[in-house]
Amino acid sequence: MIFRGGRAGGRAIPWRPSNVYRGVSGIRSPVGRLPDEALLSGLATGDPELAEIFVRRFQHRVFGVAMAVTGDQQLAEDVAQQTFERAWRHAQIYDSRRGSVGTWLTTIAHNLAVDAVRARRTEPMAPEDLDPLLEVVTETPERWALADEASSQLRAALARLPREQARALMMAGIYGMTAQQIAEAEKIPLGTAKTRIRAAMAKLRTTLTSLERGDHGE
Amino acid sequence: MASDAHCEKLREVGAELALGVLPGRERAEAVAHLDGCADCREYVRQLTGIGDRLIGLLPDAEPPPGFETRVARSLAEQAATAPEGQRPARAVQGRRSRARRARLRLAAVATAVAVAVGFAGWAVGTAVEGAVTASAPATESEPMLVGDVIPTGGGQPIGDVYAHPGSPAWMFVSVSFPGTPYTGKVTCLLEHIDGTTTRVGEFLVREGRGHWGVAVPVDLTQYSGARLTSPDGTVVATAQLQKGKVVTPEA
């Protein structure tokens, strides 16, 4: 896993380890599952049918990320299409040991979406969009029940953050806003914006580190 | 250059660095420090993981009607018209992420954090349905050859083979030798129905696990199985290929 670099060209495209093991060798139920990696491999050969299956499998995830960041249906569609095109062009550098194909695509989509918004707007986000999105990512309804424990814990930890810290984290982590931009948006000193980002990340890190150690007593 | 002062500074900006929002000069300084400080690399790695997970919390959304068809058509057109040098490589294999300079700078980080997820990312959206039991799927189908990888001497399957006999033909193999920390190359051979074999290539198995996808310039329908051999030629596993179909299940 590699950190995301500057937004200008030449960024690393990171991906995280898969958090859900979604298949077992030898079991094909109804008869089996074609691995994402196999599909990506097929995509690289230029097979149109496999391309459509690949897109169908990941389009909701990719479009969801693009839509959340851009808030614009047309722009999100452009970003989502670019995501798949980039995946196709760079399929050979995908390394499954760094994470799932889905996570890889998600990261590409996020980077492209942030860049697209920056290219089109002076404001990275509409202020009224932030709180609803924050509600969505911190909710823990039953439909998240099957999510991996780390994601559930992250949602809960995010919900426990002081509101101003959660907002700063979302602005930076989702909308790609710098501390300076956050300071201007929130009308706070630059140092305060940096502190909020740092404090929020530190708390989430503590939560996930505890989870990795097997300490569930949080 | 690792030092307490530099580390302290890194800890101040690590979150912004991990989230990709640290401005240029600060970022350059931080990256330079990471090159020489394993502790800070680990710190940033953890924070980067949080940033990735944060993105993963974003909700899915329904794309516009026809999106998948438009994108797939675009990809196919690009594949058909792109000069050879601009086409994607015909193989997807582990440890090939060396394309970007920024990533190269942190190759050590990448290595350090390579998590043994094995064959993570198995599909949830596509099934390979055996021809024997398959009724014709309502959605599009793709002829495939599939098989379980069985270790020499028998036992439970330790992997899968998926072979697509289209044009271009390609195959994907995954193996996970239980309890075998073997790291090294294995050779993959296809077994022709007339008993001869065709060498597909050598592939890396790391700590008993490996997977690879590769284009194969042969008529896969003429092959009935695959075998994996160790460098000394010993057959370590085999797979019998059966016809199947790729079907896209209903959402």
Side-chain angles (χ1 to χ4, degrees), chain B residues 184-216:
Chain B
K185 290 181 178 178
V186 296
T187 298
C188 180
L189 302 164
L190 282 171
E191 298 172 342
H192 197 274
I193 53 180
D194 66 7
T196 60
T197 59
T198 300
R199 186 176 182 278
V200 175
E202 285 186 339
F203 305 98
L204 184 64
V205 171
R206 185 176 293 275
E207 296 179 348
R209 293 182 169 191
H211 60 89
W212 54 88
V214 64
V216 283

Side-chain angles (χ1 to χ4, degrees), chain A residues 38-177:
Chain A
L39 207 48
L40 184 62
S41 178
L43 181 72
T45 69
D47 185 298
E49 284 189 85
L50 290 174
E52 190 158 339
I53 295 171
F54 184 83
V55 173
R56 182 177 303 150
R57 182 177 297 181
F58 293 108
Q59 60 179 345
H60 293 86
R61 183 89 282 273
V62 166
F63 191 75
V65 171
M67 194 64 202
V69 175
T70 66
D72 180 307
Q73 178 96 5
Q74 184 58 53
L75 187 54
E77 184 174 351
D78 291 345
V79 165
Q81 175 155 350
Q82 289 173 35
T83 299
F84 286 109
E85 290 172 353
R86 185 163 294 197
W88 170 73
R89 283 198 302 271
H90 297 291
Q92 75 276 15
I93 67 168
Y94 168 73
D95 184 344
S96 68
R97 293 173 310 147
R98 298 190 187 175
S100 69
V101 173
T103 302
W104 183 55
L105 286 171
T106 298
T107 303
I108 295 173
H110 180 255
N111 288 337
L112 289 173
V114 170
D115 283 347
V117 170
R118 285 183 173 177
R120 292 196 182 194
R121 295 204 293 256
T122 54
E123 294 297 325
M125 60 149 204
E128 64 271 20
D129 290 343
L130 181 56
D131 284 336
L133 186 61
L134 189 52
E135 295 297 331
V136 169
V137 300
T138 55
E139 68 179 350
T140 54
E142 285 193 357
R143 71 170 179 270
W144 301 120
L146 294 179
D148 65 294
E149 186 172 4
S151 293
S152 299
Q153 292 284 346
L154 186 63
R155 287 182 190 280
L158 199 53
R160 288 194 298 269
L161 289 176
R163 195 71 175 181
E164 66 276 11
Q165 289 182 14
R167 287 175 59 88
L169 181 61
M170 293 291 287
M171 288 180 183
I174 301 300
Y175 293 108
M177 295 171 66

Side-chain angles (χ1 to χ4, degrees), chain B residues 70-94:
Chain B
R70 288 196 295 276
V71 174
R73 186 184 305 129
S74 170
L75 294 180
E77 288 172 357
Q78 291 185 42
T81 60
E84 185 64 34
Q86 295 177 20
R87 293 175 189 171
R90 297 296 177 85
V92 179
Q93 192 171 346

Side-chain angles (χ1 to χ4, degrees), chain A residues 16 34 37 57 61 96-97, chain B residues 52 58 95 120 123 126 211:
Chain A
R16 61 166 186 252
L34 187 66
E37 291 89 343
R57 182 177 297 181
R61 183 89 282 273
S96 68
R97 293 173 310 147
Chain B
D52 291 345
L58 294 174
R95 296 200 61 76
T126 303
H211 60 89

